[in-house]
Amino acid sequence: MAGIILAAGASSRFGSDKRRALLPDGAPMLAAVAGSFARVFARTAVVLPPGDAFGLELCARLGLEAVPNERCREGQGTSLAVAMQWAIAQPGLQAAVLGLADMPWVREDTLAALRDALVRHPGEPALPLWQGRPGNPRGIPQRCFAALAQASGAQAAAHRLDWDAARTVAVDDPGILRDVDTPADLERGGDDARALL
């Protein structure tokens, strides 16, 4: 079992590298996400843009595996493909929980619940639900790695897996629906669940 974080996006709507944006506790957003994954998974890979000194330093400090995506400017689908190619290359890896660098409010118990669902139900994708609404991260079994490794451009896992047939995991975590696209998203924080209702 491994965690994988997609962290090679362009942050175009944010206006700067949002991975470095500081949360209220002073931690850069990517550090918060990576720290949560590192505490739940024995192994975590982080897909980064090429030559990313910030990401490389963070991975080295937290003991995570840096995976460069040379084609990151072509869209998130290429990062998904690189992530799954990394997963395929890991001997014995049966499943991975795939998360996004701009979702810093996902709780660690949510990551653990997805991990445990993949262990209990081998071969079934795991989809988190908050109040019946699906979100991210998502659990990817080994049998799906090859299909997702063919993703390209703006394609995401939603287009290559039948999530309607996935194992659902109910979580008390509105953070699975909250990402950071703009500075205003960061200012609102992850606790205002009313905005999602």
Side-chain angles (χ1 to χ4, degrees):
M1 185 70 62
I4 304 175
I5 302 167
L6 303 186
S11 303
S12 55
R13 281 183 285 175
F14 195 83
S16 61
D17 185 354
K18 63 184 174 182
R19 304 172 312 156
R20 300 177 185 237
L22 300 183
L23 299 175
D25 65 359
M29 183 162 55
L30 180 55
V33 174
S36 292
F37 271 75
R39 286 185 288 273
V40 174
F41 300 99
R43 297 182 67 192
T44 294
V46 185
V47 179
L48 301 171
D52 176 26
F54 168 73
L56 291 171
E57 186 279 330
L58 181 65
C59 287
R61 179 157 45 86
L62 296 179
L64 311 180
E65 298 190 40
V67 181
N69 177 11
E70 302 290 341
R71 299 171 56 202
C72 61
R73 293 186 181 278
E74 297 175 28
Q76 190 184 65
T78 63
S79 287
L80 175 61
V82 166
M84 293 297 99
Q85 291 160 13
W86 174 86
I88 289 168
Q90 309 311 305
L93 185 63
Q94 296 301 307
V97 173
L98 183 73
L100 304 173
D102 64 357
M103 298 187 72
W105 299 295
V106 173
R107 292 167 37 164
E108 290 175 29
D109 57 0
T110 294
L111 296 176
L114 290 167
R115 176 198 65 199
D116 295 346
L118 290 166
V119 171
R120 287 194 304 269
H121 306 285
E124 295 185 40
L127 177 68
L129 299 180
W130 178 72
Q131 298 192 0
R133 298 173 65 180
N136 287 290
R138 299 194 175 187
I140 312 291
Q142 182 188 49
R143 70 175 180 83
C144 299
F145 290 173
L148 295 177
Q150 303 302 313
S152 61
Q155 291 179 332
H159 304 297
R160 290 184 168 266
L161 292 186
D162 180 8
W163 288 106
D164 290 336
R167 176 71 54 172
T168 57
V169 181
V171 297
D172 183 19
D173 184 1
I176 70 167
L177 302 180
R178 281 200 169 282
D179 63 355
V180 176
D181 288 325
T182 68
D185 295 331
L186 197 59
E187 291 166 11
R188 278 194 291 269
D191 296 326
D192 186 8
R194 292 170 298 176
L196 298 170
L197 297 175

